[in-house]
Amino acid sequence: MRVLLVHPSPLMYSEVYLKLEPLGLERVAQALRAAGHDVRLLDLQIFGHRDYVRELDTFRPRAVGFSLNYLANVPEVLDLAVATRSRRPDTFIFAGGHSASFITGELLEHAGGALDCLVRGEGEITAPRLLEAIGDPRLDTVPGVVTRTGAGPAATLLEDLDRFPPARDLTRHRRRYFIGVLDPCASAEFTRGCPWDCSFCSAWTFYGRSYRKASAEGAAEDLARIAEPNVFLVDDVAFIHPEHGFAIGREIERRGIRKEYYLETRCDVLVRNREVFAYWRRLGLLYMFLGLEALDEEGLKLHRKRVTPGENFQALEIARELGFTVAVNIIADPDWDERRFAIVREWALSVPEIVHLTVNTPYPGTESWLTESRRLTSLDYRLFDVQHAVLPTRLPLRAFYEELVKTQGVLNRKHLGLAALRGAAGIVARQLMRGQTNFVRSLWKWSSVYHPDRQCGDHARPVKYSMKPPAIVPSPRPQGRQLYVHQPMGRSA
Ligand code: B12
Ligand code: SF4
């Protein structure tokens, strides 16, 4: 069967800092190819809607599947599904991905028949079964499938992460994928899931708090297939089990693979497993993202990070000693006033790390979605991108954005300003010689993307699809089981 898989357009964050390959969709594509389907992949981070229509007309897919990892992409995907239905009425249209999995019912309602079904959870096992069941009235009994008539049992977890290596050959214009100075940059996955349970995060609820690892050989083999010199590791928390990191490293050395890497991890994991990070520093790991989230004990407790400010600062020390370039994230609460922003600015300027500021946003699938007692000020999916305030702001909205953008601007200039650029001049020159301009162009884009006028204006756009606000506020707090997409290992269908 001819199948077209589509990743939606970039969000605000991706307009400047990065654009990365749709790894989840590439894995689903590989699983479909293994089942004998003829698959194409179109990434709208790179291509436009006109290209999509052209692909529909020329490839004439029997099925189209949209990826919906990000809530902010919901309206675009719904509009595309509706347009596809009217252009090709007989095409089977479905969607899946992280965010879609938590809001299947409301998506089907919004789509009004334009979506034949949704895939809840991982796609590798479900998508081939789903295509097999097209036309079968029992489609709604397939594990992981949700239709307007019913829902199958929880999806089957992929037990072997080596089984469907990403179909990178299906992504076109790959040189457009980059993150900061890692330009161009591919992505890879060593592990899936997270055993922690932070209240603002849905990574653990999606995977039923499971944690799976690729084999060391499989992970290294996948890296060996990558043509790009740089790799973004998508794992939620890298190197939780140091022996796994060492084993992959040894396989990399054995194969003589030499690349530069970027990964994300927790501060306590870095403190505990310092040796494996030191080893990877020698293998080419240069950049790391640490989810700091808050500077004070109270803020960390609120997010249930299960880490202390002491451990956070110790991790920063270790990362500096090991010579990593570190980016950290602080969650700005809409309740912040000018003083709080000023404190964060002052701290951020006093440390060598790259500091990012995102806005506290309750997401479906997280615990805070159900427990946040403040009322949402917007039900516009597009604003749920951690760059907009969807909870009441203490400052007038405009003043909040002015403070946010001012702070982000100060932090941005710190690491992307002229002084910093002088340090990166060699890298930039080498990129330009190879015709890689993503990073250089991102330097000039910042102020046209981040502006209080744009953010305030975004709130004034007419809302075509309204989100369903959370219905219950259980007390004292919801249990994991109520939140999970996949049930913990061994319990899935
Ligand atoms: C890597 C990653 C990124 C990469 C994205 C790369 C890309 N182009 O997709 C980068 C760094 C760019 C990124 C950025 C952001 N991210 Co992010 N990211 C992740 C992360 C850690 C892993 C995603 C991943 O690649 N997983 C591995 C692959 C194999 O899995 P997958 O993509 O989920 O795909 C599987 C299933 O979802 C499903 N599936 C996916 N698509 C489809 C399609 C079909 C048809 C089917 C059947 C199935 C299916 O099958 C796949 C295989 O099992 C997730 C957390 C998580 N654990 O999911 C957060 C996460 C998705 N990100 C999140 C956020 C908030 C952001 C940002 C908005 C944050 C910011 N700093 O501003 C930005 C904006 C992104 C943007 N588009 O501009 C949130 C999403 C919140 C939400 N509900 O919308 C998550 C859940 C993190 C969190 N803990 O809250 N992110
Ligand atoms: S924020 Fe990080 S550590 Fe916390 S649950 Fe999400 S992925 Fe795990």
Side-chain angles (χ1 to χ4, degrees):
M1 184 184 298
R2 282 191 304 278
V3 188
L4 177 62
L5 297 178
V6 185
H7 188 284
S9 304
L11 303 180
M12 193 168 161
Y13 192 75
S14 286
E15 286 179 39
V16 178
Y17 293 106
L18 46 83
K19 208 159 272 162
L20 289 163
E21 68 184 289
L23 200 70
L25 214 47
E26 289 168 1
R27 284 200 181 259
V28 173
Q30 186 60 22
L32 290 176
R33 285 206 300 206
H37 298 288
D38 177 8
V39 187
R40 280 199 195 172
L41 199 159
L42 190 73
D43 184 357
L44 299 177
Q45 298 181 100
I46 307 285
F47 291 90
H49 283 195
R50 269 203 219 140
D51 301 305
Y52 172 65
V53 172
R54 200 170 310 129
E55 198 79 37
L56 278 185
D57 292 346
T58 54
F59 184 48
R60 291 178 292 107
R62 168 74 183 92
V64 174
F66 293 100
S67 183
L68 254 181
N69 272 357
Y70 297 102
L71 206 61
N73 284 125
V74 163
E76 181 191 14
V77 167
L78 287 170
D79 283 345
L80 285 173
V82 170
T84 308
R85 174 67 76 230
S86 73
R87 200 169 183 96
R88 293 186 53 83
D90 296 330
T91 300
F92 186 88
I93 309 172
F94 63 111
H98 192 96
S99 285
S101 297
F102 293 107
I103 55 164
T104 49
E106 69 186 80
L107 285 175
L108 290 167
E109 234 170 79
H110 287 313
L115 282 172
D116 289 294
C117 79
L118 284 161
V119 171
R120 203 163 180 260
E122 294 178 345
E124 290 99 332
I125 305 292
T126 308
R129 288 185 185 166
L130 156 72
L131 295 191
E132 226 172 85
I134 291 180
D136 185 333
R138 285 165 308 167
L139 175 66
D140 61 8
T141 62
V142 175
V145 169
V146 186
T147 73
R148 293 218 284 182
T149 52
T156 313
L157 272 177
L158 177 68
E159 288 198 20
D160 175 9
L161 287 192
D162 300 343
R163 196 164 152 207
F164 301 110
R168 296 196 185 83
D169 57 304
L170 292 181
T171 34
R172 293 162 263 176
H173 298 322
R174 287 184 60 87
R175 57 191 300 175
R176 302 276 295 276
Y177 297 123
F178 81 107
I179 175 163
V181 292
L182 297 185
D183 180 11
C185 188
S187 300
E189 185 187 32
F190 291 169
T191 63
R192 200 177 271 189
C194 173
W196 280 273
D197 62 348
C198 303
S199 57
F200 63 92
C201 176
S202 51
W204 62 280
T205 59
F206 184 85
Y207 293 116
R209 228 172 159 182
S210 63
Y211 181 66
R212 284 155 293 159
K213 295 178 272 210
S215 73
E217 298 76 21
E221 232 155 77
D222 190 42
L223 289 178
R225 279 189 290 265
I226 291 175
E228 288 82 355
N230 307 304
V231 179
F232 175 92
L233 298 172
V234 303
D235 302 22
D236 286 308
V237 185
F239 304 147
I240 297 176
H241 296 159
E243 62 284 1
H244 186 234
F246 278 118
I248 298 174
R250 281 192 295 271
E251 288 296 324
I252 289 177
E253 285 195 282
R254 206 167 62 77
R255 288 168 167 78
I257 300 168
R258 190 68 208 170
K259 299 200 182 284
E260 295 192 343
Y261 303 93
Y262 177 112
L263 57 70
E264 309 196 356
T265 195
R266 285 174 55 99
C267 289
D268 51 350
V269 170
L270 173 58
V271 171
R272 210 168 36 240
N273 302 337
R274 175 192 175 121
E275 292 312 317
V276 71
F277 289 94
Y279 173 52
W280 267 77
R281 178 73 184 84
R282 297 194 293 277
L283 293 180
L285 174 61
L286 292 183
Y287 304 90
M288 89 169 41
F289 183 92
L290 292 169
L292 218 59
E293 325 305 356
L295 298 176
D296 57 319
E297 185 100 47
E298 198 193 331
L300 290 169
K301 278 218 175 96
L302 189 73
H303 301 310
R304 204 170 335 101
K305 277 297 284 190
R306 301 186 193 276
V307 70
T308 61
E311 280 172 303
N312 278 348
F313 294 120
Q314 200 185 342
L316 293 181
E317 278 300 326
I318 291 176
R320 286 170 203 157
E321 279 168 30
L322 295 180
F324 290 117
T325 299
V326 176
V328 300
N329 189 59
I330 300 283
I331 301 178
D333 198 281
D335 194 46
W336 281 13
D337 57 11
E338 286 102 338
R339 215 186 108 259
R340 268 313 271 281
F341 276 107
I343 292 172
V344 168
R345 271 197 302 272
E346 200 181 310
W347 174 79
L349 287 176
S350 73
V351 295
E353 285 75 25
I354 299 164
V355 182
H356 285 290
L357 208 59
T358 54
V359 183
N360 183 8
T361 306
Y363 276 114
T366 64
E367 198 177 294
S368 21
W369 177 247
L370 297 175
T371 54
E372 176 58 65
S373 54
R374 291 172 285 181
R375 293 255 321 259
L376 294 169
T377 51
S378 171
L379 295 175
D380 185 346
Y381 293 101
R382 295 166 298 182
L383 300 184
F384 284 71
D385 65 349
V386 302
Q387 306 296 329
H388 291 84
V390 296
L391 290 170
T393 50
R394 175 181 295 257
L395 294 168
L397 187 64
R398 165 102 208 167
F400 176 81
Y401 281 132
E402 277 168 1
E403 281 296 319
L404 179 72
V405 173
K406 179 165 126 193
T407 310
Q408 288 172 324
V410 167
L411 308 184
N412 185 58
R413 276 193 299 282
K414 184 182 125 189
H415 68 273
L416 287 181
L418 277 181
L421 251 192
R422 268 194 287 275
I427 299 174
V428 170
R430 278 195 297 281
Q431 285 172 354
L432 290 177
M433 264 158 58
R434 281 186 275 115
Q436 282 300 135
T437 57
N438 298 306
F439 172 61
V440 178
R441 276 190 286 154
S442 75
L443 300 173
W444 316 118
K445 266 196 204 156
W446 197 88
S447 46
S448 64
V449 174
Y450 284 83
H451 198 287
D453 284 350
R454 171 180 175 174
Q455 267 134 313
C456 284
D458 289 343
H459 283 259
R461 290 178 295 187
V463 178
K464 190 164 162 191
Y465 305 104
S466 247
M467 259 169 83
K468 210 167 157 185
I472 35 160
V473 184
S475 183
R477 70 181 180 93
Q479 298 301 302
R481 206 149 289 278
Q482 292 169 258
L483 300 164
Y484 293 150
V485 166
H486 283 281
Q487 291 303 311
M489 275 293 217
R491 286 168 202 273
S492 50

